[in-house]
Amino acid sequence: HLFNTSHSNIVQGDFTVRFRVLDASLVTIAFDSRKVAKNLENISFSYHLPPDALVPAGRLTFIFEVLNSTTRVKHTVSTLWYQLPLRMAAHSIEQDKVDASLGDIVTVTMVPGILDDLGAFRPFGAKSAPQRHFVMDLRGPTGL
């Protein structure tokens, strides 16, 4: 519900309500926007993450924004998140140096993805790859 100090349930006005869903790489995977000047019902949004969705492990973030329809100035932003219990994995890992020393630059290529509930590797698509950032933890034989 939208509310302020004098109204407990605001359903219409000169404002726009936006709803965004972001994956753990902060890639927007869903978006909805509604102008509610003539709205008569409670404002609600819903989102269902498909079982075959390819999103990275981590937080699935839901952002709700209320902004002035004319000036586009944000009035209110509310965020909540859900932790996705996924396992990240990489396939076809290659590096340009086998024996590297501290301070060396090593180029590592990989196909990032997730392991599904059955342990099968599911790679992220090339379409979303430029929007994503991954971190790789490299360890030597001694664990450092």
Side-chain angles (χ1 to χ4, degrees), residues 95 98 100 108 136-144:
Q95 63 189 54
V98 177
V108 178
M136 179 178 281
D137 185 13
L138 295 176
R139 295 175 191 244
T142 62
L144 301 176

Side-chain angles (χ1 to χ4, degrees), residues 17-23 26-34 45-47 60-67 74 76-81:
V17 181
R18 292 194 306 203
F19 171 69
R20 291 186 295 152
V21 181
L22 285 67
D23 70 15
L26 302 180
V27 173
T28 299
I29 59 175
F31 177 82
D32 193 2
S33 179
R34 299 181 192 162
F45 296 96
S46 65
Y47 177 74
L60 192 62
T61 303
F62 301 87
I63 301 173
F64 305 89
E65 300 170 314
V66 179
L67 42 114
K74 291 180 189 174
T76 304
V77 178
S78 182
T79 303
L80 63 98
W81 56 269

Side-chain angles (χ1 to χ4, degrees), residues 88-115:
M88 298 290 292
H91 187 271
S92 303
I93 302 170
E94 296 179 11
Q95 63 189 54
D96 66 346
K97 289 183 183 177
V98 177
D99 294 320
S101 299
L102 190 60
D104 286 353
I105 295 174
V106 178
T107 301
V108 178
T109 59
M110 65 175 172
V111 177
I114 59 170
L115 295 177

Side-chain angles (χ1 to χ4, degrees), residues 10-11 13 31-32 38 44 59 73 91 99-100 105 115 135 143:
I10 302 170
V11 296
F31 177 82
D32 193 2
K38 297 180 181 178
S44 68
R59 291 182 175 182
V73 173
H91 187 271
D99 294 320
I105 295 174
L115 295 177
V135 176

